[in-house]
Amino acid sequence: MEVDRDYATFIEKIKKKTGIDLSLYKEAQMKRRLTSFRDKKNYKNFTAFFDALTKDESLLEEFFDRVTINVSEFYRNPKRWEVLEQKILPQLAKGRSRLKIWSAACSTGEEPYTISIILSRSLKQQSFSILATDLDDQALKQAEKGFYFERSLSDVPKEILRSYFMKNEMGYVIRDDVKKPIQFKKHNLLADSFDGNYDLIICRNVMIYFTEEAKNELYQKFSRALRPGGFLFVGSTEQIFNPSTYGLEAAEPFFYKKNQFLN
Ligand SMILES: C[S@@+](CC[C@H](N)C(=O)[O-])C[C@H]1O[C@@H](n2cnc3c(N)ncnc32)[C@H](O)[C@@H]1O
């Protein structure tokens, strides 16, 4: 197969400049997205496009937006959250005084806030901590604000809106006690190290963008980061076909339990 030198060099330069290795994202998809963005901005090749990115901060930000795709929502795939609340949490909480949770690739915060709301309904607030990470600084800034327009909350049950948000003229702000257990932090899943001993890792709707090799490596790392008996919760198009390879077993659709006997 012919190598596209222009694109390959661009990928190398972006890695040097930003630390983001685009070669670990599915190539056809990423290249299509970036080529259409480059064309829209009227650059005839990736060499010229990279030069422009180094000179124009706002173009670089727009470029990041293209790469990251921040779409998220509260209670995304509601049935899965019911399973978490009714079947997984009771198993996790048994005999534990504190749960350590990681929402990996949390985008603008809807996912970690959903977890925090669900946990606060069944556990005491001091009994869990949530690390919420993403590659994208802008998304994290928005997440930390905890402000959402009404239209993005249309699927949130009215009773939850009333209990866990404060309404202002512009929209809704998440309540401080929902925020308190969450620490937001920048983290690149494909480059940074992972902490360990998690009871629950939630990583949804980002693996679909990665190559098979990158996914394989990530599942290994997630498995190592879980405590024995901990759970990995993945997106609704992201089932793992060979979980035992990673020391995991399918517990419920899209929930994988780390083998009790592994460390
Ligand atoms: C579609 S959103 C998913 C948000 C949320 N998990 C959900 O399911 O609603 C994908 C997120 O993955 C983040 N992302 C992409 N590559 C990443 C990487 N290498 N490390 C960490 N986060 C990454 C993006 O910035 C984006 O916020």
mmCIF file of all heavy atoms in Angstrom, residues 210-245:
data_model
loop_
_atom_site.group_PDB
_atom_site.id
_atom_site.type_symbol
_atom_site.label_atom_id
_atom_site.label_comp_id
_atom_site.label_asym_id
_atom_site.label_seq_id
_atom_site.Cartn_x
_atom_site.Cartn_y
_atom_site.Cartn_z
ATOM 1 N N PHE A 210 -9.822 4.305 18.563
ATOM 2 C CA PHE A 210 -8.438 3.841 18.622
ATOM 3 C C PHE A 210 -8.204 2.604 17.747
ATOM 4 O O PHE A 210 -9.128 1.834 17.478
ATOM 5 C CB PHE A 210 -8.058 3.491 20.074
ATOM 6 C CG PHE A 210 -8.126 4.651 21.038
ATOM 7 C CD1 PHE A 210 -8.381 4.446 22.388
ATOM 8 C CD2 PHE A 210 -7.927 5.961 20.600
ATOM 9 C CE1 PHE A 210 -8.439 5.511 23.283
ATOM 10 C CE2 PHE A 210 -7.989 7.030 21.491
ATOM 11 C CZ PHE A 210 -8.246 6.800 22.832
ATOM 12 N N THR A 211 -6.947 2.395 17.345
ATOM 13 C CA THR A 211 -6.578 1.197 16.575
ATOM 14 C C THR A 211 -6.688 -0.047 17.468
ATOM 15 O O THR A 211 -6.699 0.068 18.702
ATOM 16 C CB THR A 211 -5.115 1.280 16.081
ATOM 17 O OG1 THR A 211 -4.265 1.324 17.237
ATOM 18 C CG2 THR A 211 -4.859 2.486 15.198
ATOM 19 N N GLU A 212 -6.729 -1.229 16.842
ATOM 20 C CA GLU A 212 -6.826 -2.482 17.602
ATOM 21 C C GLU A 212 -5.646 -2.627 18.567
ATOM 22 O O GLU A 212 -5.810 -3.057 19.700
ATOM 23 C CB GLU A 212 -6.856 -3.690 16.655
ATOM 24 C CG GLU A 212 -8.171 -3.850 15.904
ATOM 25 C CD GLU A 212 -9.393 -3.861 16.822
ATOM 26 O OE1 GLU A 212 -9.392 -4.615 17.799
ATOM 27 O OE2 GLU A 212 -10.350 -3.089 16.561
ATOM 28 N N GLU A 213 -4.440 -2.251 18.115
ATOM 29 C CA GLU A 213 -3.239 -2.386 18.974
ATOM 30 C C GLU A 213 -3.367 -1.485 20.195
ATOM 31 O O GLU A 213 -3.065 -1.888 21.319
ATOM 32 C CB GLU A 213 -1.957 -2.003 18.222
ATOM 33 C CG GLU A 213 -1.585 -2.882 17.047
ATOM 34 C CD GLU A 213 -2.490 -2.660 15.834
ATOM 35 O OE1 GLU A 213 -2.806 -1.498 15.534
ATOM 36 O OE2 GLU A 213 -2.893 -3.653 15.208
ATOM 37 N N ALA A 214 -3.825 -0.256 19.959
ATOM 38 C CA ALA A 214 -3.961 0.687 21.074
ATOM 39 C C ALA A 214 -5.009 0.185 22.067
ATOM 40 O O ALA A 214 -4.818 0.252 23.287
ATOM 41 C CB ALA A 214 -4.329 2.074 20.550
ATOM 42 N N LYS A 215 -6.123 -0.363 21.533
ATOM 43 C CA LYS A 215 -7.186 -0.875 22.410
ATOM 44 C C LYS A 215 -6.667 -2.038 23.250
ATOM 45 O O LYS A 215 -6.920 -2.111 24.448
ATOM 46 C CB LYS A 215 -8.363 -1.381 21.563
ATOM 47 C CG LYS A 215 -9.286 -0.284 21.128
ATOM 48 C CD LYS A 215 -10.630 -0.834 20.723
ATOM 49 C CE LYS A 215 -10.684 -1.002 19.242
ATOM 50 N NZ LYS A 215 -12.020 -1.290 18.721
ATOM 51 N N ASN A 216 -5.945 -2.922 22.590
ATOM 52 C CA ASN A 216 -5.400 -4.095 23.261
ATOM 53 C C ASN A 216 -4.537 -3.674 24.464
ATOM 54 O O ASN A 216 -4.692 -4.164 25.586
ATOM 55 C CB ASN A 216 -4.574 -4.868 22.223
ATOM 56 C CG ASN A 216 -4.105 -6.177 22.746
ATOM 57 O OD1 ASN A 216 -4.847 -6.852 23.467
ATOM 58 N ND2 ASN A 216 -2.879 -6.542 22.427
ATOM 59 N N GLU A 217 -3.665 -2.738 24.228
ATOM 60 C CA GLU A 217 -2.774 -2.224 25.272
ATOM 61 C C GLU A 217 -3.580 -1.558 26.404
ATOM 62 O O GLU A 217 -3.295 -1.745 27.585
ATOM 63 C CB GLU A 217 -1.834 -1.211 24.604
ATOM 64 C CG GLU A 217 -1.041 -0.364 25.547
ATOM 65 C CD GLU A 217 0.432 -0.733 25.529
ATOM 66 O OE1 GLU A 217 0.873 -1.275 24.504
ATOM 67 O OE2 GLU A 217 1.101 -0.465 26.545
ATOM 68 N N LEU A 218 -4.615 -0.806 26.000
ATOM 69 C CA LEU A 218 -5.424 -0.107 27.005
ATOM 70 C C LEU A 218 -6.199 -1.072 27.891
ATOM 71 O O LEU A 218 -6.277 -0.879 29.109
ATOM 72 C CB LEU A 218 -6.410 0.842 26.320
ATOM 73 C CG LEU A 218 -5.922 2.256 26.102
ATOM 74 C CD1 LEU A 218 -6.977 3.085 25.399
ATOM 75 C CD2 LEU A 218 -5.598 2.920 27.449
ATOM 76 N N TYR A 219 -6.781 -2.115 27.286
ATOM 77 C CA TYR A 219 -7.512 -3.096 28.111
ATOM 78 C C TYR A 219 -6.576 -3.735 29.131
ATOM 79 O O TYR A 219 -6.962 -3.950 30.279
ATOM 80 C CB TYR A 219 -8.152 -4.179 27.237
ATOM 81 C CG TYR A 219 -9.308 -3.690 26.396
ATOM 82 C CD1 TYR A 219 -9.445 -4.074 25.062
ATOM 83 C CD2 TYR A 219 -10.285 -2.847 26.929
ATOM 84 C CE1 TYR A 219 -10.510 -3.624 24.284
ATOM 85 C CE2 TYR A 219 -11.340 -2.388 26.160
ATOM 86 C CZ TYR A 219 -11.455 -2.785 24.834
ATOM 87 O OH TYR A 219 -12.498 -2.333 24.075
ATOM 88 N N GLN A 220 -5.340 -4.021 28.700
ATOM 89 C CA GLN A 220 -4.360 -4.576 29.649
ATOM 90 C C GLN A 220 -4.142 -3.599 30.803
ATOM 91 O O GLN A 220 -4.103 -3.991 31.969
ATOM 92 C CB GLN A 220 -2.982 -4.813 28.981
ATOM 93 C CG GLN A 220 -2.955 -5.796 27.858
ATOM 94 C CD GLN A 220 -3.009 -7.252 28.350
ATOM 95 O OE1 GLN A 220 -3.230 -7.504 29.531
ATOM 96 N NE2 GLN A 220 -2.846 -8.180 27.422
ATOM 97 N N LYS A 221 -3.982 -2.326 30.446
ATOM 98 C CA LYS A 221 -3.677 -1.332 31.478
ATOM 99 C C LYS A 221 -4.878 -1.094 32.402
ATOM 100 O O LYS A 221 -4.725 -0.918 33.605
ATOM 101 C CB LYS A 221 -3.217 -0.019 30.831
ATOM 102 C CG LYS A 221 -1.832 -0.156 30.203
ATOM 103 C CD LYS A 221 -1.416 1.070 29.444
ATOM 104 C CE LYS A 221 -0.912 2.178 30.345
ATOM 105 N NZ LYS A 221 -0.480 3.358 29.571
ATOM 106 N N PHE A 222 -6.079 -1.097 31.828
ATOM 107 C CA PHE A 222 -7.277 -0.940 32.672
ATOM 108 C C PHE A 222 -7.382 -2.111 33.642
ATOM 109 O O PHE A 222 -7.683 -1.933 34.815
ATOM 110 C CB PHE A 222 -8.546 -0.868 31.818
ATOM 111 C CG PHE A 222 -8.795 0.488 31.205
ATOM 112 C CD1 PHE A 222 -9.242 0.609 29.893
ATOM 113 C CD2 PHE A 222 -8.604 1.653 31.928
ATOM 114 C CE1 PHE A 222 -9.470 1.853 29.327
ATOM 115 C CE2 PHE A 222 -8.837 2.910 31.380
ATOM 116 C CZ PHE A 222 -9.270 3.003 30.071
ATOM 117 N N SER A 223 -7.135 -3.313 33.120
ATOM 118 C CA SER A 223 -7.245 -4.496 33.970
ATOM 119 C C SER A 223 -6.243 -4.398 35.137
ATOM 120 O O SER A 223 -6.588 -4.652 36.292
ATOM 121 C CB SER A 223 -7.009 -5.752 33.137
ATOM 122 O OG SER A 223 -7.028 -6.866 33.966
ATOM 123 N N ARG A 224 -5.024 -3.989 34.815
ATOM 124 C CA ARG A 224 -4.018 -3.844 35.880
ATOM 125 C C ARG A 224 -4.412 -2.770 36.888
ATOM 126 O O ARG A 224 -4.086 -2.850 38.066
ATOM 127 C CB ARG A 224 -2.649 -3.506 35.285
ATOM 128 C CG ARG A 224 -1.876 -4.744 34.825
ATOM 129 C CD ARG A 224 -0.397 -4.438 34.674
ATOM 130 N NE ARG A 224 -0.130 -3.492 33.602
ATOM 131 C CZ ARG A 224 0.066 -3.825 32.332
ATOM 132 N NH1 ARG A 224 0.045 -5.074 31.968
ATOM 133 N NH2 ARG A 224 0.320 -2.901 31.418
ATOM 134 N N ALA A 225 -5.124 -1.750 36.413
ATOM 135 C CA ALA A 225 -5.487 -0.627 37.297
ATOM 136 C C ALA A 225 -6.673 -0.951 38.207
ATOM 137 O O ALA A 225 -6.962 -0.207 39.143
ATOM 138 C CB ALA A 225 -5.806 0.615 36.456
ATOM 139 N N LEU A 226 -7.377 -2.060 37.908
ATOM 140 C CA LEU A 226 -8.522 -2.438 38.753
ATOM 141 C C LEU A 226 -8.054 -3.302 39.919
ATOM 142 O O LEU A 226 -7.112 -4.091 39.776
ATOM 143 C CB LEU A 226 -9.526 -3.266 37.945
ATOM 144 C CG LEU A 226 -10.406 -2.519 36.939
ATOM 145 C CD1 LEU A 226 -11.131 -3.533 36.033
ATOM 146 C CD2 LEU A 226 -11.431 -1.627 37.633
ATOM 147 N N ARG A 227 -8.758 -3.223 41.035
ATOM 148 C CA ARG A 227 -8.473 -4.188 42.108
ATOM 149 C C ARG A 227 -9.170 -5.505 41.718
ATOM 150 O O ARG A 227 -10.126 -5.487 40.929
ATOM 151 C CB ARG A 227 -8.981 -3.658 43.447
ATOM 152 C CG ARG A 227 -10.470 -3.312 43.479
ATOM 153 C CD ARG A 227 -11.213 -4.142 44.485
ATOM 154 N NE ARG A 227 -12.525 -3.634 44.776
ATOM 155 C CZ ARG A 227 -13.606 -4.414 44.846
ATOM 156 N NH1 ARG A 227 -13.536 -5.704 44.584
ATOM 157 N NH2 ARG A 227 -14.786 -3.893 45.176
ATOM 158 N N PRO A 228 -8.712 -6.645 42.255
ATOM 159 C CA PRO A 228 -9.398 -7.895 41.942
ATOM 160 C C PRO A 228 -10.883 -7.769 42.294
ATOM 161 O O PRO A 228 -11.217 -7.249 43.359
ATOM 162 C CB PRO A 228 -8.709 -8.918 42.857
ATOM 163 C CG PRO A 228 -7.378 -8.310 43.163
ATOM 164 C CD PRO A 228 -7.564 -6.825 43.161
ATOM 165 N N GLY A 229 -11.765 -8.176 41.390
ATOM 166 C CA GLY A 229 -13.204 -8.046 41.643
ATOM 167 C C GLY A 229 -13.765 -6.689 41.236
ATOM 168 O O GLY A 229 -14.971 -6.460 41.323
ATOM 169 N N GLY A 230 -12.899 -5.752 40.780
ATOM 170 C CA GLY A 230 -13.359 -4.443 40.304
ATOM 171 C C GLY A 230 -13.970 -4.562 38.905
ATOM 172 O O GLY A 230 -13.819 -5.582 38.234
ATOM 173 N N PHE A 231 -14.659 -3.497 38.465
ATOM 174 C CA PHE A 231 -15.375 -3.553 37.185
ATOM 175 C C PHE A 231 -14.894 -2.490 36.201
ATOM 176 O O PHE A 231 -14.585 -1.353 36.588
ATOM 177 C CB PHE A 231 -16.871 -3.319 37.413
ATOM 178 C CG PHE A 231 -17.591 -4.509 37.972
ATOM 179 C CD1 PHE A 231 -17.627 -4.724 39.348
ATOM 180 C CD2 PHE A 231 -18.222 -5.426 37.142
ATOM 181 C CE1 PHE A 231 -18.288 -5.820 39.879
ATOM 182 C CE2 PHE A 231 -18.887 -6.529 37.654
ATOM 183 C CZ PHE A 231 -18.922 -6.728 39.029
ATOM 184 N N LEU A 232 -14.895 -2.885 34.922
ATOM 185 C CA LEU A 232 -14.690 -1.940 33.818
ATOM 186 C C LEU A 232 -16.032 -1.794 33.097
ATOM 187 O O LEU A 232 -16.648 -2.786 32.724
ATOM 188 C CB LEU A 232 -13.629 -2.495 32.852
ATOM 189 C CG LEU A 232 -13.397 -1.718 31.556
ATOM 190 C CD1 LEU A 232 -12.818 -0.326 31.833
ATOM 191 C CD2 LEU A 232 -12.441 -2.481 30.619
ATOM 192 N N PHE A 233 -16.472 -0.547 32.922
ATOM 193 C CA PHE A 233 -17.763 -0.241 32.277
ATOM 194 C C PHE A 233 -17.445 0.450 30.952
ATOM 195 O O PHE A 233 -16.831 1.518 30.950
ATOM 196 C CB PHE A 233 -18.545 0.660 33.249
ATOM 197 C CG PHE A 233 -19.875 1.194 32.785
ATOM 198 C CD1 PHE A 233 -20.563 0.662 31.696
ATOM 199 C CD2 PHE A 233 -20.473 2.249 33.477
ATOM 200 C CE1 PHE A 233 -21.798 1.163 31.298
ATOM 201 C CE2 PHE A 233 -21.706 2.771 33.095
ATOM 202 C CZ PHE A 233 -22.363 2.228 32.001
ATOM 203 N N VAL A 234 -17.855 -0.177 29.827
ATOM 204 C CA VAL A 234 -17.487 0.374 28.507
ATOM 205 C C VAL A 234 -18.719 0.875 27.762
ATOM 206 O O VAL A 234 -19.860 0.652 28.200
ATOM 207 C CB VAL A 234 -16.737 -0.687 27.653
ATOM 208 C CG1 VAL A 234 -15.490 -1.192 28.362
ATOM 209 C CG2 VAL A 234 -17.661 -1.858 27.289
ATOM 210 N N GLY A 235 -18.504 1.531 26.614
ATOM 211 C CA GLY A 235 -19.605 2.117 25.840
ATOM 212 C C GLY A 235 -20.445 1.059 25.149
ATOM 213 O O GLY A 235 -20.021 -0.091 24.973
ATOM 214 N N SER A 236 -21.644 1.466 24.720
ATOM 215 C CA SER A 236 -22.609 0.492 24.209
ATOM 216 C C SER A 236 -22.316 -0.037 22.803
ATOM 217 O O SER A 236 -23.087 -0.821 22.274
ATOM 218 C CB SER A 236 -24.017 1.072 24.282
ATOM 219 O OG SER A 236 -24.388 1.107 25.638
ATOM 220 N N THR A 237 -21.212 0.406 22.198
ATOM 221 C CA THR A 237 -20.781 -0.232 20.941
ATOM 222 C C THR A 237 -19.369 -0.791 21.130
ATOM 223 O O THR A 237 -18.678 -1.068 20.165
ATOM 224 C CB THR A 237 -20.729 0.782 19.784
ATOM 225 O OG1 THR A 237 -19.863 1.853 20.188
ATOM 226 C CG2 THR A 237 -22.092 1.332 19.447
ATOM 227 N N GLU A 238 -18.965 -0.946 22.376
ATOM 228 C CA GLU A 238 -17.548 -1.243 22.618
ATOM 229 C C GLU A 238 -17.316 -2.554 23.366
ATOM 230 O O GLU A 238 -16.364 -2.649 24.146
ATOM 231 C CB GLU A 238 -16.911 -0.089 23.393
ATOM 232 C CG GLU A 238 -16.952 1.214 22.620
ATOM 233 C CD GLU A 238 -16.452 2.408 23.424
ATOM 234 O OE1 GLU A 238 -16.806 2.532 24.615
ATOM 235 O OE2 GLU A 238 -15.725 3.227 22.864
ATOM 236 N N GLN A 239 -18.189 -3.557 23.125
ATOM 237 C CA GLN A 239 -17.991 -4.793 23.897
ATOM 238 C C GLN A 239 -16.624 -5.410 23.597
ATOM 239 O O GLN A 239 -16.107 -5.285 22.489
ATOM 240 C CB GLN A 239 -19.134 -5.798 23.709
ATOM 241 C CG GLN A 239 -19.291 -6.378 22.350
ATOM 242 C CD GLN A 239 -20.308 -5.583 21.547
ATOM 243 O OE1 GLN A 239 -20.170 -4.376 21.404
ATOM 244 N NE2 GLN A 239 -21.303 -6.248 21.018
ATOM 245 N N ILE A 240 -16.079 -6.076 24.616
ATOM 246 C CA ILE A 240 -14.761 -6.718 24.478
ATOM 247 C C ILE A 240 -15.020 -8.179 24.103
ATOM 248 O O ILE A 240 -15.740 -8.878 24.819
ATOM 249 C CB ILE A 240 -13.973 -6.631 25.808
ATOM 250 C CG1 ILE A 240 -13.909 -5.170 26.292
ATOM 251 C CG2 ILE A 240 -12.583 -7.207 25.647
ATOM 252 C CD1 ILE A 240 -13.249 -4.992 27.647
ATOM 253 N N PHE A 241 -14.433 -8.622 22.983
ATOM 254 C CA PHE A 241 -14.778 -9.964 22.492
ATOM 255 C C PHE A 241 -14.003 -11.079 23.194
ATOM 256 O O PHE A 241 -14.450 -12.199 23.245
ATOM 257 C CB PHE A 241 -14.602 -10.027 20.977
ATOM 258 C CG PHE A 241 -15.619 -9.156 20.285
ATOM 259 C CD1 PHE A 241 -15.255 -7.945 19.709
ATOM 260 C CD2 PHE A 241 -16.964 -9.528 20.264
ATOM 261 C CE1 PHE A 241 -16.206 -7.141 19.120
ATOM 262 C CE2 PHE A 241 -17.924 -8.718 19.672
ATOM 263 C CZ PHE A 241 -17.539 -7.523 19.101
ATOM 264 N N ASN A 242 -12.836 -10.762 23.727
ATOM 265 C CA ASN A 242 -12.025 -11.809 24.363
ATOM 266 C C ASN A 242 -11.553 -11.324 25.738
ATOM 267 O O ASN A 242 -10.350 -11.199 25.984
ATOM 268 C CB ASN A 242 -10.820 -12.142 23.476
ATOM 269 C CG ASN A 242 -10.149 -10.862 22.969
ATOM 270 O OD1 ASN A 242 -10.678 -9.759 23.186
ATOM 271 N ND2 ASN A 242 -8.999 -10.980 22.353
ATOM 272 N N PRO A 243 -12.509 -11.047 26.658
ATOM 273 C CA PRO A 243 -12.130 -10.419 27.933
ATOM 274 C C PRO A 243 -11.118 -11.222 28.739
ATOM 275 O O PRO A 243 -10.290 -10.626 29.439
ATOM 276 C CB PRO A 243 -13.468 -10.291 28.680
ATOM 277 C CG PRO A 243 -14.434 -11.164 27.978
ATOM 278 C CD PRO A 243 -13.972 -11.288 26.573
ATOM 279 N N SER A 244 -11.168 -12.563 28.613
ATOM 280 C CA SER A 244 -10.271 -13.371 29.466
ATOM 281 C C SER A 244 -8.795 -13.091 29.144
ATOM 282 O O SER A 244 -7.926 -13.252 29.996
ATOM 283 C CB SER A 244 -10.586 -14.855 29.322
ATOM 284 O OG SER A 244 -10.414 -15.219 27.977
ATOM 285 N N THR A 245 -8.513 -12.646 27.909
ATOM 286 C CA THR A 245 -7.140 -12.271 27.540
ATOM 287 C C THR A 245 -6.589 -11.209 28.492
ATOM 288 O O THR A 245 -5.380 -11.081 28.674
ATOM 289 C CB THR A 245 -7.143 -11.643 26.110
ATOM 290 O OG1 THR A 245 -8.024 -12.373 25.310
ATOM 291 C CG2 THR A 245 -5.764 -11.589 25.498
#
